[in-house]
Amino acid sequence: MSRFELLSDEQWALIKDLLPVRTGKPGRPFSDARSMVEGVIYRYRCGIAWRDVPAVFGPWQTIWTWHRRLAAQGVWDAVLARLLATADAAGQTDWAISVATIARAHQHATTITRHTGGWIELHETRDRAA
């Protein structure tokens, strides 16, 4: 067992029928679907760039292409729906939600008046220097 195997056989069995399979068409054969999915999982779990995905999953360009195509086809939505339904049926879903927001504004976006050194302060410094 490799240290990079991220999905158990039970987890893979839940989603493998939702993913593309080999069609037998001529051309470059497509890679193993499980390694592609595990490459995507590894990338998001570690928060790394696509180029930093370990070579054990395959070429990063192929993993990125898979991810992009499956997202456009709605496959990831179907995978999520199935995983959530299975977890909910097993009583493993908590549904506790936490939302945190941060709103940052530039210092000039505020309406606070402040003295920034107009002509009054320039005259005051002349009196102090004397």
Side-chain angles (χ1 to χ4, degrees):
M1 181 173 185
S2 169
R3 69 183 181 122
F4 291 114
E5 288 183 6
L6 301 172
L7 295 173
S8 68
D9 291 335
E10 295 82 21
Q11 292 169 330
W12 177 246
L14 282 173
I15 64 170
K16 73 178 179 181
D17 62 326
L18 298 173
L19 300 168
V21 295
R22 292 181 187 226
T23 60
K25 292 182 180 178
R28 176 176 273 174
F30 100 21
S31 300
D32 178 36
R34 185 171 181 165
S35 66
M36 294 293 112
V37 172
E38 287 182 342
V40 172
I41 292 170
Y42 184 84
R43 189 260 178 185
Y44 279 106
R45 182 177 286 174
C46 296
I48 58 176
W50 287 108
R51 291 179 184 261
D52 296 332
V53 174
V56 71
F57 298 115
W60 70 267
Q61 296 93 336
T62 307
I63 298 170
W64 176 81
T65 302
W66 258 68
H67 174 63
R68 185 177 52 85
R69 285 183 185 161
L70 295 181
Q73 296 170 357
V75 173
W76 293 126
D77 295 331
V79 167
L80 178 63
R82 179 168 297 172
L83 293 175
L84 285 175
T86 304
D88 200 27
Q92 298 174 341
T93 309
D94 187 7
W95 296 112
I97 298 174
S98 174
V99 177
T101 59
I102 296 174
R104 296 178 186 223
H106 190 272
Q107 63 183 354
H108 297 135
T110 62
T111 58
I112 299 172
T113 57
R114 44 187 154 295
H115 302 288
T116 57
W119 66 274
I120 295 173
E121 290 182 8
L122 291 176
H123 291 289
E124 291 174 358
T125 56
R126 182 186 48 141
D127 295 337
R128 280 187 277 170

